[in-house]
Amino acid sequence: MSAESSAFSELRGHLHRTRLLRSISNTLSYDQQTAMPPAGSDWRGEQLALLAEQLHQRQSSEGYGDLLAAAESELAEQAGASPDLGRTLLLLRREYERQRAQDPALVVRIAEARVRGSSIWQEARRRNSFRLFAPALTTLIELRREQARQLASAEPGANGCWEILAQPFEPDVRAPRLEQLFTPLLDQLPALLERARSRAAETAAPALPADLQERLCRDLLRGWGYDPSRCSRALSAHPFSSTLGPADFRITTRIVPDQPMASLLATAHEWGHSLYEQGLPHSDEQDAPWPLGQATSMGVHESQALFWECRVARSEAFARRWHRPLVEGLGADPWESPGGLWRSLNPLHPGLIRVESGELGYCLHIVLRFELERALLEQDLPVEELPERWNRRSSELLGITPPSDAQGCLQDIHWAEGLFGYFPSYALGHLISAQLSEAMEAELGAGTEALIERGEDARILSWLRHHVHPLGRRVNGEQLVQQVSGRPLEATAFLRHLSGKLERLLSSDR
Amino acid sequence: MSAESSAFSELRGHLHRTRLLRSISNTLSYDQQTAMPPAGSDWRGEQLALLAEQLHQRQSSEGYGDLLAAAESELAEQAGASPDLGRTLLLLRREYERQRAQDPALVVRIAEARVRGSSIWQEARRRNSFRLFAPALTTLIELRREQARQLASAEPGANGCWEILAQPFEPDVRAPRLEQLFTPLLDQLPALLERARSRAAETAAPALPADLQERLCRDLLRGWGYDPSRCSRALSAHPFSSTLGPADFRITTRIVPDQPMASLLATAHEWGHSLYEQGLPHSDEQDAPWPLGQATSMGVHESQALFWECRVARSEAFARRWHRPLVEGLGADPWESPGGLWRSLNPLHPGLIRVESGELGYCLHIVLRFELERALLEQDLPVEELPERWNRRSSELLGITPPSDAQGCLQDIHWAEGLFGYFPSYALGHLISAQLSEAMEAELGAGTEALIERGEDARILSWLRHHVHPLGRRVNGEQLVQQVSGRPLEATAFLRHLSGKLERLLSSDR
């Protein structure tokens, strides 16, 4: 994007200001999750709605459309222009058409309903009352369906409400392709889960004091390039990662006394998200406001988070390294050995709660949500029947029936924030992470276990920084996997990883 | 403001949106002080500049001017309209004229220079390098002088650059009036300080562990009506209070190991600010966006903070109440008695640092700054001569010469943020707080010492909530004092409080 013409330079100015506004909105959301008292939520909703209105106005204005058209004509007249320019304008044009297609009043109503929905959901989950939440969910579904109707003309490739709403998270995703990717999981995971049941009952993890958990998280990050001049950390009910500026990266974790490893694993996960953001070309001033500098899909984003959580923090080598500081910090060894710590980092039985589920059951949690959100959006499943349907499918897919809605269909915040179409990205993240791991191992001649064992964590990061992070949005999620691994995305590597790890864990038990 | 006409109703809508935008800006500033990593400051500066530009545009637009004019004509046609309506429109008109008088480009440059100034100041103070800070200070002074030139036509009553810049903090303030109020302080404080020197050297306060300090702050607030559903707390380098929405109140404190009482006193101080904000009529939906619902001046604001810090938290009765939990928490009694704790809460010797100075020397710190900022803005004092002049006047007024600029003219953040004209509000706060205390005692038949002794803290808050907080901007700071105490503001009550407390402390020493 060097030697910019005037059309591109004006476009850059416009996008820069859009990015400033969006980051203001993200900062308010960050504060909402980490610091805002509950009674602040109505006002916060009004603030976010105002910003959503401004953002929509900027991104759909005729003036912006003219800027875009001028850049497009200029590009058409250039011979031998970089393909990056073409891709840049294509992505901007797609987003512009999406924004143009939406009624501004609807944009504001959705922003307000999201804040209200998440506030009511917190109360409903606390009181285990799906009835309290149902009206807000109904409103969100209606608003998002209306949005999908408006967006249909701007998404000619997407088929139906669900696919249209999923585009921002997973560009170019199609529901049948997801079903194709998930079929091997549905075929093979039940057998792996059955085999895991042969494992002795999982012992409850020992409680770790909050300050020890906090110290471990800090030490973990110190070894993985955490730079306090550019990053900061906080506690929140739901761990997340957020980029608030070109040099302002935040991650959060939660400290739960009876889930001693949750804070450490969440920190590894969110730090993986943040490392991807920090490695994207948008941190480079040159690419700053252009879409090619951004994350390409939430599936790829999740793959980076899962890489650090599952490949690194849940590895046997990592457990060996961390056993001693944990035992010293606690003044006791409730795991009895590094192997015991490793086993406690890798529960095999599928949990009731998605975020606490081990790797074996996790994707079945996603299939459940993928099915149900399509049923709600496209098959007229009545909202009041959601708990019953959830519990039935949970029993069928995972072999467990939630004893309460708080531990069932009220467990996730996503739908309360109007996020439909997001969940499959988590499963894609597992698949992508596994396939990228194998590609890394093939190239370096050593997998994550061996590299961590040798203390060569830096080579892992370096490989990701070289092969994955800099691609930005030059390719979509599936193209990224094809380019880096030389093969189309499939579930094979992930299933190979799971069955290998399962056997190692089962023999470590003995 | 009930039974609103259409002009007033449109005006209300406009002001509501302005308030939303301003609170977004305040939220970014809050995050900047409590969570943002240092490298985020350039981007944060751009975000705040964008919001400052939008706010200025809204507050100075012709469309807003038309709304205001329509409301004014409507009011002129009403017989027997409430005086509140007249005052409301007068305050809005004044602010509109101020905003109209300013060049939008200057507004943006000032917003950027403030963020840059405070970022450089932090580095300069850390490195004790005034030279590093001087260019940023020079820029801020030039920008603010230019702003005062532009504002002169909108402030016909204000005389000179300093008074013009001080108006937003202390409406209707005049420099000669401040000199008149400060003269008795300059006359009598040196003798009180001299008498305090007869006190034995002040012993260093015992260090308190961070978690004990944190627990004490929490317990303090629990007794003073802190409601976690509407309030939240954080740590920051400089304690402050901020209102981010009608039901979203934040306070911060800092935990410094070798200043064990600083966190407790700062918490009391900032909570006093917040109680004022919470008691203002702007929390009531009816008055929400109207100026009468707001704080009337920073002097009154400080008086409320100082009320809880100096009248309550530094009282002898309070020390008696808190001695036992402190000793229990610490497992030792380094103060040897409740009286020892009280003495340690009340240092008599003037400190090098304003915020750590006891009540006796504090106002002399303010006089020093009041003099120097007028010299910088109006008497062409060269920036490079500031350290020398600061040190000389510090020696003359306080009898101490700072050993470094970090402990001298670099100690405060105000000028680094372009805040000139703010400091005298702190001294006014002491005077107002003292005069209101006497008024309360006259009415209730008991002063703060007696009420705290009896555990009747709630009556103190109730008196303030009844007499002080609901006035909002119906009166300015001096009018408020006249109305509540029945006398014009003067230094007498404050000097009476100081000499009384000094004698009690000196005899408690023996």
Side-chain angles (χ1 to χ4, degrees):
Chain A
M1 234 62 58
S2 58
E4 273 174 19
S5 70
S6 68
F8 274 89
S9 159
E10 269 191 74
L11 198 52
R12 165 194 281 274
H14 185 93
L15 295 173
H16 181 80
R17 220 173 144 96
T18 305
R19 190 174 177 217
L20 277 171
L21 265 181
R22 189 177 300 111
S23 69
I24 290 172
S25 176
N26 291 341
T27 306
L28 296 195
S29 297
Y30 178 86
D31 175 84
Q32 182 178 7
Q33 310 289 331
T34 57
M36 189 188 80
S41 71
D42 285 352
W43 188 257
R44 183 56 43 92
E46 285 198 60
Q47 293 172 320
L48 289 170
L50 184 148
L51 292 169
E53 190 185 345
Q54 284 193 6
L55 269 168
H56 179 250
Q57 200 279 330
R58 280 191 73 69
Q59 294 178 288
S60 64
S61 72
E62 290 197 8
Y64 172 50
D66 292 344
L67 277 182
L68 203 50
E72 284 164 344
S73 336
E74 229 177 63
L75 182 67
E77 287 160 18
Q78 281 177 33
S82 136
D84 278 1
L85 283 183
R87 170 103 178 135
T88 295
L89 291 180
L90 181 75
L91 291 170
L92 291 175
R93 168 61 61 187
R94 268 183 73 165
E95 184 56 26
Y96 178 65
E97 298 303 336
R98 276 183 73 88
Q99 297 285 341
R100 289 285 284 182
Q102 292 174 76
D103 172 16
L106 181 68
V107 170
V108 172
R109 277 163 60 211
I110 290 176
E112 286 166 349
R114 290 181 59 173
V115 174
R116 194 172 150 69
S118 66
S119 164
I120 292 174
W121 166 79
Q122 281 178 21
E123 179 71 7
R125 193 176 66 154
R126 200 177 55 76
R127 291 164 52 181
N128 186 34
S129 167
F130 182 77
R131 268 182 65 176
L132 187 61
F133 177 56
L137 180 59
T138 304
T139 302
L140 280 160
I141 290 169
E142 280 166 11
L143 288 170
R144 296 287 273 152
R145 275 172 154 176
E146 172 56 28
Q147 191 183 28
R149 273 190 291 274
Q150 293 183 5
L151 284 169
S153 64
E155 295 285 4
N159 195 1
C161 178
W162 188 90
E163 282 186 14
I164 290 172
L165 297 182
Q167 293 305 306
F169 313 123
E170 212 57 46
D172 312 320
V173 76
R174 302 289 169 257
R177 170 65 176 142
L178 290 176
E179 286 167 353
Q180 181 190 33
L181 285 167
F182 294 165
T183 298
L185 303 179
L186 284 166
D187 287 347
Q188 297 177 46
L189 289 180
L192 293 182
L193 280 171
E194 189 52 42
R195 172 128 178 78
R197 286 199 182 88
S198 70
R199 190 190 207 184
E202 286 166 353
T203 49
L208 293 187
D211 60 343
L212 177 58
Q213 291 193 43
E214 164 55 27
R215 189 145 41 91
L216 291 169
C217 292
R218 207 183 48 212
D219 291 351
L220 174 89
L221 292 171
R222 194 179 295 140
W224 292 354
Y226 180 89
D227 173 0
S229 79
R230 294 156 49 86
C231 305
S232 88
R233 299 191 297 129
L235 296 176
S236 63
H238 302 271
F240 66 98
S241 158
S242 189
T243 298
L244 300 185
D248 185 347
F249 303 95
R250 316 281 180 101
I251 60 168
T252 75
T253 190
R254 60 174 161 191
I255 304 232
V256 186
D258 66 345
Q259 294 167 32
M261 292 300 148
S263 61
L264 200 73
L265 292 172
T267 297
H269 184 99
E270 302 307 336
W271 184 239
H273 278 303
S274 195
L275 282 173
Y276 179 40
E277 289 279 325
Q278 293 174 52
L280 281 168
H282 74 179
S283 303
D284 168 2
E285 182 47 35
Q286 182 66 10
D287 276 339
W290 302 110
L292 296 196
Q294 297 162 356
T296 192
S297 84
M298 289 316 299
V300 172
H301 229 307
E302 289 300 331
S303 82
Q304 296 307 293
L306 291 166
F307 204 98
W308 293 89
E309 178 193 343
C310 297
R311 303 295 144 156
V312 182
R314 290 190 200 263
S315 70
E316 192 169 5
F318 185 85
R320 268 198 294 276
R321 187 194 295 175
W322 278 66
H323 181 250
R324 183 198 293 247
L326 269 165
V327 169
E328 284 176 1
L330 197 57
D333 183 3
W335 305 278
E336 293 176 5
S337 68
L341 173 60
W342 180 50
R343 286 188 296 274
S344 87
L345 285 165
N346 288 279
L348 291 175
H349 302 180
L352 268 170
I353 306 295
R354 176 181 60 84
V355 297
E356 295 160 15
S357 178
E359 288 174 83
L360 279 184
Y362 189 91
C363 287
L364 296 174
H365 271 282
I366 297 305
V367 169
L368 166 73
R369 287 153 179 80
F370 176 47
E371 272 182 26
L372 291 180
E373 63 184 16
R374 284 196 298 162
L376 288 167
L377 292 168
E378 298 184 344
Q379 295 143 31
D380 293 318
L381 171 67
V383 162
E384 54 273 26
E385 290 178 22
L386 179 64
E388 187 206 324
R389 184 79 76 91
W390 179 291
N391 294 349
R392 177 155 50 83
R393 289 299 283 152
S394 173
S395 161
E396 289 163 4
L397 288 166
L398 290 155
I400 35 183
T401 307
S404 72
D405 291 337
Q407 292 166 285
C409 65
L410 285 175
Q411 67 178 265
D412 296 306
I413 196 173
H414 301 64
W415 295 341
E417 290 192 334
L419 292 178
F420 300 103
Y422 189 104
F423 282 115
S425 296
Y426 292 118
L428 290 179
H430 273 291
L431 271 48
I432 295 171
S433 171
Q435 200 155 331
L436 294 181
S437 291
E438 290 195 351
M440 183 187 78
E441 183 162 359
E443 186 178 321
L444 300 185
T448 42
E449 280 286 2
L451 291 167
I452 298 158
E453 186 68 50
R454 299 184 213 148
E456 294 180 358
D457 310 27
R459 288 183 71 196
I460 301 175
L461 179 55
S462 162
W463 188 84
L464 293 170
R465 285 232 159 116
H466 189 71
H467 291 84
V468 178
H469 301 173
L471 294 175
R473 286 176 74 185
R474 286 183 174 83
V475 286
N476 70 20
E478 293 221 40
Q479 289 161 344
L480 181 144
V481 173
Q482 173 75 51
Q483 182 168 326
V484 178
S485 72
R487 298 176 52 84
L489 178 62
E490 52 188 6
T492 326
F494 179 57
L495 287 165
R496 198 153 39 223
H497 160 73
L498 286 187
S499 56
K501 190 166 190 178
L502 174 61
E503 293 312 315
R504 288 203 295 131
L505 280 163
L506 290 177
S507 59
S508 144
D509 268 347
R510 285 186 287 268
Chain B
M1 233 62 60
S2 59
E4 273 174 19
S5 71
S6 68
F8 274 89
S9 158
E10 269 191 74
L11 198 52
R12 164 194 282 274
H14 185 92
L15 295 173
H16 181 81
R17 219 174 145 97
T18 305
R19 191 175 175 214
L20 277 172
L21 266 181
R22 189 178 301 113
S23 70
I24 291 172
S25 176
N26 291 342
T27 306
L28 295 195
S29 299
Y30 178 87
D31 175 84
Q32 183 178 6
Q33 310 289 330
T34 58
M36 188 189 80
S41 71
D42 285 352
W43 188 257
R44 183 56 44 93
E46 285 197 62
Q47 294 172 318
L48 289 170
L50 184 148
L51 292 169
E53 189 185 345
Q54 285 193 5
L55 269 168
H56 179 250
Q57 201 279 329
R58 280 190 73 68
Q59 294 178 287
S60 63
S61 72
E62 290 198 9
Y64 172 50
D66 292 345
L67 277 182
L68 203 50
E72 284 164 343
S73 339
E74 227 176 64
L75 182 67
E77 287 160 18
Q78 282 176 34
S82 135
D84 278 1
L85 283 182
R87 169 103 179 138
T88 295
L89 292 180
L90 181 76
L91 291 170
L92 291 175
R93 168 61 61 188
R94 269 182 72 165
E95 185 56 27
Y96 179 64
E97 298 303 336
R98 275 183 74 90
Q99 297 285 342
R100 288 285 283 181
Q102 292 175 74
D103 172 17
L106 180 69
V107 170
V108 173
R109 277 163 61 211
I110 290 175
E112 287 167 349
R114 290 181 59 172
V115 175
R116 194 172 151 68
S118 65
S119 164
I120 292 174
W121 166 78
Q122 281 179 18
E123 179 73 5
R125 193 176 66 153
R126 201 177 55 77
R127 290 166 53 183
N128 187 33
S129 166
F130 182 76
R131 269 183 64 176
L132 186 63
F133 177 55
L137 180 58
T138 304
T139 302
L140 280 159
I141 290 169
E142 281 166 10
L143 288 170
R144 296 286 273 152
R145 275 172 154 176
E146 172 55 27
Q147 191 184 27
R149 273 190 291 275
Q150 294 183 4
L151 284 168
S153 64
E155 295 285 3
N159 195 2
C161 178
W162 188 89
E163 282 187 12
I164 290 171
L165 297 181
Q167 293 305 306
F169 313 123
E170 212 56 46
D172 312 320
V173 76
R174 302 290 169 256
R177 170 65 176 142
L178 291 176
E179 285 168 353
Q180 182 190 33
L181 285 167
F182 294 165
T183 298
L185 303 179
L186 284 165
D187 286 348
Q188 297 178 44
L189 288 179
L192 294 181
L193 281 170
E194 188 53 41
R195 174 128 177 78
R197 285 196 184 90
S198 70
R199 188 190 207 182
E202 287 167 351
T203 49
L208 292 187
D211 60 343
L212 177 57
Q213 291 194 43
E214 165 54 26
R215 189 144 42 92
L216 291 169
C217 292
R218 208 182 49 211
D219 292 350
L220 174 89
L221 292 171
R222 193 178 297 142
W224 291 356
Y226 180 89
D227 173 0
S229 79
R230 295 156 48 87
C231 305
S232 87
R233 300 191 298 129
L235 296 177
S236 64
H238 302 271
F240 66 99
S241 158
S242 189
T243 298
L244 301 185
D248 185 349
F249 303 95
R250 316 282 179 101
I251 61 167
T252 74
T253 189
R254 61 174 159 192
I255 304 235
V256 187
D258 66 346
Q259 293 168 31
M261 292 300 148
S263 61
L264 199 73
L265 292 172
T267 297
H269 184 99
E270 302 307 336
W271 185 239
H273 278 302
S274 195
L275 282 173
Y276 179 40
E277 289 279 323
Q278 293 174 50
L280 281 168
H282 73 178
S283 304
D284 169 2
E285 182 47 36
Q286 183 65 10
D287 276 339
W290 302 109
L292 297 196
Q294 298 162 356
T296 192
S297 84
M298 288 317 298
V300 172
H301 229 307
E302 289 300 332
S303 82
Q304 297 308 293
L306 292 166
F307 204 98
W308 292 91
E309 178 194 344
C310 297
R311 303 295 145 156
V312 182
R314 291 189 200 263
S315 70
E316 193 170 4
F318 185 84
R320 268 197 295 276
R321 187 194 297 175
W322 278 66
H323 181 250
R324 181 198 294 247
L326 269 165
V327 168
E328 284 176 1
L330 195 56
D333 183 4
W335 306 278
E336 293 177 4
S337 68
L341 173 60
W342 180 50
R343 286 188 295 275
S344 87
L345 285 164
N346 288 280
L348 291 175
H349 301 180
L352 268 170
I353 307 295
R354 177 181 59 85
V355 297
E356 294 160 16
S357 178
E359 288 174 84
L360 279 184
Y362 189 91
C363 287
L364 296 174
H365 272 282
I366 297 306
V367 169
L368 165 74
R369 287 153 180 79
F370 176 47
E371 273 183 25
L372 290 179
E373 63 184 13
R374 284 198 296 163
L376 287 166
L377 292 168
E378 298 184 345
Q379 294 144 31
D380 292 320
L381 171 66
V383 162
E384 56 272 23
E385 289 177 22
L386 179 64
E388 186 206 324
R389 183 79 76 91
W390 179 291
N391 294 349
R392 178 155 49 83
R393 288 300 283 153
S394 173
S395 162
E396 288 163 4
L397 288 165
L398 289 155
I400 35 183
T401 308
S404 73
D405 291 338
Q407 292 167 284
C409 65
L410 285 174
Q411 68 179 262
D412 296 306
I413 195 173
H414 302 63
W415 294 342
E417 290 192 333
L419 292 178
F420 300 102
Y422 189 104
F423 282 116
S425 296
Y426 292 118
L428 290 178
H430 273 291
L431 270 48
I432 295 171
S433 171
Q435 201 156 329
L436 295 181
S437 291
E438 290 195 352
M440 182 187 78
E441 183 162 1
E443 187 178 320
L444 300 184
T448 41
E449 280 285 3
L451 292 167
I452 298 159
E453 186 68 49
R454 299 184 212 150
E456 295 180 356
D457 311 26
R459 288 183 71 195
I460 301 174
L461 178 55
S462 161
W463 188 84
L464 293 170
R465 285 229 160 119
H466 189 71
H467 291 84
V468 178
H469 301 174
L471 295 175
R473 286 176 76 186
R474 286 183 174 83
V475 287
N476 71 20
E478 292 221 40
Q479 289 162 344
L480 181 145
V481 172
Q482 173 75 49
Q483 181 167 327
V484 178
S485 72
R487 298 175 51 84
L489 178 61
E490 52 189 6
T492 325
F494 178 58
L495 287 166
R496 199 154 37 223
H497 159 73
L498 286 186
S499 57
K501 190 167 190 177
L502 174 61
E503 293 311 318
R504 287 202 296 131
L505 280 163
L506 291 178
S507 59
S508 144
D509 269 348
R510 285 186 288 267

